[in-house]
């Protein structure tokens, strides 16, 4: 059957295609067309033969089906511990079968794979820590998503998200002009309270190039202002690029690997153009993973590193507090029970567990910080990672997934949750809206600004 207008195997590459697909509210026609989408088995098997690396092949073959990965998976725990939610079963029944059948699968099978890949795994990589063979189903599900995307089996919102990246070089429709104007606007909004504050654009040879999440200029421009305030108080020589400022990658969630490369090359080009000493990314987990951890390999960089040292915002914030660039007024420290959400993407997958706790030691009065159980690299996903937050088709499953984090938070007894990651922040917000457990949640930036000991020369002068 011919491909549909909305659901097809071709990426969205134009504004017209984006507007048309967005006009299909909720993806109703998109999913109807998906029911009639043919699987190109020859192309699928060819892609597997060309792209499946020895590691993935080995993992599929050495899995002992022991089930030790089951309890490591929060989705297994919150879904009645049914066998269909065991990580090894999930990957063997999808990618494993696809390989065994040499790509000769049908529409029904591919739709089952799509549901499994996007509603039964957030690619948090926790299972890989507990497998005796070190098999990481999260990595394999990321690979499976790419195969599904190439055949047109991808959730509607993520097809659009990847299209946004291709058209606007951002996960949302924020143009270069929109971005620069937002920076100018935020600088103007804050200059009265913070005299001399600037948001420099395209400044060459700065110490820091700052990148962010497109949701910030689109929906939370105050986050950009907050980053500027902290850089200003710390006396940093910094800049943002006019192009290459968007660090996130919904294309990674979608499995659009070609677009993943384009995204990160755009950011790296900005680094090469502006020559900063280092780059710093915002409070976002998957943005860091896409740009710093996975990105160098997508871009084909032989050293496996970005063009300049690239650190997460929590690393800079801890450094600024440690070195005294930012000072906290002890009287303003948090004096209520508070807990911390560990982001899978930069805690479990890059080991920044101690950095966030160093920040906590500066901003929370001793005795008030309560760890979740488990925590650090053993913590559970927020419940909405890997694109799960944004997929309407699987909203019911996502809300069930939030129950694990809900219980973890309730067990701490805390009413304030620090969540230095956009996906975690969103999931915890949705958790409160869905279950009404009476909590508040926050990024680090506004908390730190509220307790700064600001040098006299940076304060507004009395008229």
């Amino acid at each position: 059957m011919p491909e549909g207008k909305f659901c097809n195997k071709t990426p969205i590459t134009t504004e017209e295609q984006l507007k048309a697909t967005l006009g299909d509210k909720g993806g109703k026609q998109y999913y109807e067309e998906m029911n009639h989408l043919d699987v190109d088995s020859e192309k699928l098997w060819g892609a597997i033969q060309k792209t499946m690396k020895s590691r993935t092949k080995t993992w599929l073959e050495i899995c002992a089906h022991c089930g030790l990965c089951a309890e490591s998976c929060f989705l297994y725990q919150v879904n009645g511990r049914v066998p269909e939610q065991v990580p090894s079963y999930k990957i063997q029944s999808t990618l494993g079968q696809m390989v065994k059948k040499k790509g000769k699968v049908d529409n029904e099978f591919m739709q089952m794979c799509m549901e499994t890949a996007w509603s039964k795994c957030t690619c948090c990589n926790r299972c890989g820590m507990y497998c005796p063979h070190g098999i990481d189903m999260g990595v394999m599900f990321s690979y499976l998503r790419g195969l599904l995307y190439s055949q047109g089996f991808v959730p509607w919102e993520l097809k659009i998200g990847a299209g946004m990246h291709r058209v606007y070089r951002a996960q949302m429709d924020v143009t270069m002009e929109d971005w620069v104007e937002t920076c100018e606007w935020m600088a103007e909004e804050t200059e009265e309270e913070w005299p001399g504050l600037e948001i420099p654009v395209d400044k060459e040879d700065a110490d820091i190039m700052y990148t962010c999440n497109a949701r910030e200029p689109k929906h939370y421009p105050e986050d950009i202002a907050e980053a500027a305030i902290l850089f200003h108080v710390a006396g940093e020589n910094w800049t943002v690029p006019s192009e290459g400022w968007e660090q996130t990658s919904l294309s990674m969630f979608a499995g659009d690997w070609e677009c993943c490369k384009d995204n990160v090359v755009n950011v790296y080009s900005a680094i090469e153009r502006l020559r900063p000493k280092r780059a710093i990314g915002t409070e976002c987990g998957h943005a860091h993973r896409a740009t710093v951890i996975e990105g160098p390999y997508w871009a084909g960089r032989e050293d496996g590193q970005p063009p300049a040292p690239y650190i997460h915002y929590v690393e800079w914030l801890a450094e600024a507090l440690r070195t005294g660039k930012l000072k906290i007024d002890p009287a303003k420290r948090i004096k209520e029970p508070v807990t911390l959400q560990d982001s899978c993407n930069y805690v479990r997958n890059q080991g920044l567990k101690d950095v966030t706790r160093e920040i906590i030691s500066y901003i929370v009065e001793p005795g008030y910080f309560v760890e979740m159980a488990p925590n650090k690299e053993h913590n559970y996903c927020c419940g909405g990672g890997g694109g799960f937050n944004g997929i309407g088709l699987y909203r019911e499953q996502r809300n069930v997934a939030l129950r694990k984090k809900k219980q973890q938070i309730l067990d701490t007894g805390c009413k304030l949750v620090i969540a230095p990651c956009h996906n975690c922040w969103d999931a915890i917000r949705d958790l409160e809206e869905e279950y009404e457990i009476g909590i508040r949640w926050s990024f680090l930036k506004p908390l730190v600004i509220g307790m700064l000991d600001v040098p006299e020369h940076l304060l507004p002068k009395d008229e």
Side-chain angles (χ1 to χ4, degrees), residues 361-411:
S361 73
Y362 289 100
I363 68 174
V364 177
E365 190 77 8
Y368 286 98
F369 176 54
V370 183
E371 290 275 17
M372 289 188 194
N375 54 65
K376 300 180 180 177
E377 69 268 34
H378 298 283
N379 199 0
Y380 292 105
C381 171
C382 60
F388 207 2
N389 271 336
I391 304 172
L393 184 64
Y394 306 135
R395 182 47 52 98
E396 185 177 341
Q397 293 97 312
R398 197 291 309 261
N399 288 344
V400 170
L402 296 175
R403 292 175 186 170
K404 189 64 184 181
K405 191 56 55 182
K406 178 194 76 170
Q407 193 57 51
Q408 277 190 287
I409 294 170
L410 286 172
D411 288 346

Side-chain angles (χ1 to χ4, degrees), residues 134-150:
I135 300 170
D136 197 322
M137 269 65 73
V139 170
M140 289 197 282
F141 268 116
S142 293
Y143 176 69
L144 174 62
R145 288 182 178 193
L147 297 175
L148 291 166
Y149 181 91
S150 70

